[in-house]
């Protein structure tokens, strides 16, 4: 039971290393995990010669929303900076960012924010086209916001992937949700991609502007005031979030939960929103607050980053399945593409 809960709740314990299972104690090589099924507590530590270090660091936790209780406790890492740096430099992984396709309120020119609105027909087509552009890039984990337009975009995009793995949303809301959504076939698990939904990746909350027509709002309050609300870094709309406030939660989530997956070699796709993705790009590209407010992201256009040598390098948007420039930079992506070609001949 504990092992099943661990796999369902984390969705990341896929390892080619030797796995030992003794009751509620699991070992993955040098990583030791203790699970307590009643409370679903996971105590994770990296051991060195059988001993635990007392040095603590926050671990990337999978959770469905900001208000839900995590099932993962802080991780113990050995205080070996040289080995940590070596691991970072040797790691190579792909990060795909996709802003959701056009929503029904995008079409109507309404402020959407955190209102949960689905995609239009055009938005569906944009998501499918985005999937074609990334169809040769490996995806091991998917993160989306808690909003349906981002989730639809991720799911539709993956229908075009040549690997044909099935994206499956992890339900970590409570014990029953975890238990009822277990997968009991190892072969099926291998053909699945865990999808983590997180409200921290939601669009910026537009407060009292949500649901208002953008042109009518500009006519009412003045173009300059509305432009200030929409494009300044630290000035929020009435009872809403500024970009700075959105960045605080989105970047913190990325650093705590997504970046550790990338550093472990996982290839990750994030389907989210204009402002939450601008915030993450600000972190990746080390943009200033003035630079990020001028950053525009089109709906349904994927952006590719490569984590290599401990640094994120932007490779732009893959123009299509045969885009050579995407694969020229990293050997692992080129090999993955070759493997796909060999499998599907």
């Amino acid at each position: 039971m504990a092992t099943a809960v661990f796999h369902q709740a984390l969705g990341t314990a896929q390892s080619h290393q030797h796995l030992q299972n003794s009751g509620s104690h699991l070992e993955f090589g040098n990583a030791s995990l203790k699970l307590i099924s009643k409370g679903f507590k996971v105590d994770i530590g990296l051991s060195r010669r059988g001993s635990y270090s007392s040095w603590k660091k926050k671990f990337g936790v999978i959770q469905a929303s900001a208000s839900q209780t995590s099932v993962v406790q802080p991780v113990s890492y050995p205080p070996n900076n040289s080995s940590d740096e070596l691991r970072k430099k040797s790691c190579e992984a792909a990060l795909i960012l996709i802003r959701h396709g056009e929503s029904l309120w995008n079409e109507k020119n309404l402020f959407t924010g955190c209102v949960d609105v689905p995609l239009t027909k055009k938005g569906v087509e944009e998501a499918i086209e985005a999937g074609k552009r990334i169809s040769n890039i490996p995806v091991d984990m998917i993160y989306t916001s808690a909003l349906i337009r981002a989730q639809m975009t991720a799911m539709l995009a993956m229908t075009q992937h040549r690997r044909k793995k099935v994206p499956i949303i992890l339900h970590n809301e409570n014990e029953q949700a975890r238990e009822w959504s277990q997968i009991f076939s190892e072969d099926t698990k291998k053909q699945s991609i865990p999808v983590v939904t997180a409200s921290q990746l939601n669009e910026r909350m537009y407060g009292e502007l949500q649901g208002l027509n953008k042109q009518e709002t500009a006519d009412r309050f003045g173009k300059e005031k509305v432009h200030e609300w929409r494009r300044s870094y630290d000035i929020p709309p009435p009872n809403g979030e500024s970009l700075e406030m959105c960045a605080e939660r989105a970047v913190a989530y990325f650093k705590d939960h997504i970046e550790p997956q990338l550093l472990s070699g996982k290839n990750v796709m994030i389907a989210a929103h204009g402002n939450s993705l601008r915030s993450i790009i600000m972190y990746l590209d080390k943009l200033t607050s003035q630079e990020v407010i001028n950053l525009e992201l089109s709906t349904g256009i994927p952006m590719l980053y490569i984590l290599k040598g401990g640094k994120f390098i932007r490779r732009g948007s893959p123009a299509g399945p045969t885009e050579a420039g995407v694969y020229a930079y990293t050997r692992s992506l080129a090999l993955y593409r070759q493997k796909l070609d060999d499998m599907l001949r």
Side-chain angles (χ1 to χ4, degrees), residues 85-307:
E85 286 302 313
L86 182 63
R87 176 177 59 86
K88 286 183 179 180
K89 288 181 180 179
S90 63
C91 176
E92 188 174 283
L95 171 63
I96 302 166
L97 307 179
I98 306 179
R99 183 187 173 193
H100 65 81
E102 183 189 67
S103 76
L104 287 167
W105 277 15
N106 290 146
E107 183 183 48
K108 294 178 181 295
N109 200 32
L110 305 180
F111 286 102
T112 310
C114 288
V115 180
D116 210 357
V117 178
L119 300 180
T120 60
K121 181 182 177 181
K122 178 184 175 183
V124 169
E125 292 170 351
E126 286 178 334
I128 291 171
E129 179 60 30
K132 293 177 180 177
R133 295 186 180 211
I134 61 167
S135 61
N136 292 305
I137 300 173
V139 178
D140 300 312
M141 290 200 67
I142 299 172
Y143 289 83
T144 81
S145 75
L147 301 174
I148 191 65
R149 57 191 185 272
Q151 295 174 23
M152 288 177 70
T153 298
M155 296 300 193
L156 289 166
M158 291 310 297
T159 65
Q160 304 302 305
H161 201 280
R162 294 177 69 197
R163 191 65 180 81
K164 299 301 180 186
K165 287 190 175 184
V166 178
I168 297 177
I169 293 177
L170 300 179
H171 287 283
N172 195 33
E173 300 90 332
N174 52 52
E175 179 179 350
Q176 185 182 76
R178 287 188 291 269
E179 192 171 335
W180 284 20
S181 59
Q182 292 179 73
I183 301 171
F184 293 94
S185 166
E186 291 303 319
D187 288 340
T188 301
K189 285 180 184 178
K190 291 176 183 177
Q191 295 303 315
S192 304
I193 300 176
V195 181
V196 181
T197 63
S199 61
Q200 294 93 329
L201 299 175
N202 281 8
E203 178 58 288
R204 172 183 167 193
M205 205 278 277
Y206 268 100
E208 294 176 15
L209 301 187
Q210 292 185 168
L212 300 184
N213 180 278
K214 293 177 182 178
Q215 184 57 52
E216 292 174 1
T217 305
D219 294 340
R220 177 181 172 188
F221 295 100
K223 287 184 179 179
E224 288 187 6
K225 174 56 70 175
V226 173
H227 181 78
E228 182 180 65
W229 288 334
R230 295 187 66 190
R231 287 294 177 258
S232 65
Y233 182 69
D234 56 0
I235 300 175
N239 294 315
E241 284 185 308
S242 64
L243 177 56
E244 181 181 33
M245 295 161 71
C246 178
E248 284 179 5
R249 58 172 165 84
V251 173
Y253 185 86
F254 180 86
K255 292 166 72 173
D256 289 346
H257 305 288
I258 300 175
E259 194 167 16
Q261 300 291 347
L262 292 160
L263 289 170
S264 73
K266 299 281 187 184
N267 301 290
V268 175
M269 181 174 84
I270 304 175
H273 308 266
N275 285 295
S276 54
L277 290 177
R278 286 165 73 201
S279 301
I280 291 171
I281 291 172
M282 180 183 182
Y283 169 70
L284 298 175
D285 290 350
K286 297 179 172 56
L287 302 180
T288 67
S289 58
Q290 288 303 308
E291 289 171 328
V292 74
I293 61 176
N294 295 315
L295 179 63
E296 294 289 344
L297 299 178
S298 301
T299 56
I301 302 296
M303 179 69 69
L304 176 67
Y305 283 82
I306 301 297
L307 174 62

Side-chain angles (χ1 to χ4, degrees), residues 45-108:
L46 295 181
S47 61
R48 205 176 177 191
R49 296 180 182 175
S51 64
Y52 278 88
S53 167
S54 61
W55 186 72
K56 301 289 183 182
K57 183 177 178 182
K58 209 169 184 180
F59 182 73
V61 180
I62 291 174
Q63 58 190 87
S65 70
S67 62
Q68 290 170 353
T69 304
S70 164
V71 298
V72 183
Q73 298 299 320
V75 179
S76 298
Y77 288 106
N80 190 332
N81 292 332
S82 60
S83 63
D84 187 55
E85 286 302 313
L86 182 63
R87 176 177 59 86
K88 286 183 179 180
K89 288 181 180 179
S90 63
C91 176
E92 188 174 283
L95 171 63
I96 302 166
L97 307 179
I98 306 179
R99 183 187 173 193
H100 65 81
E102 183 189 67
S103 76
L104 287 167
W105 277 15
N106 290 146
E107 183 183 48
K108 294 178 181 295

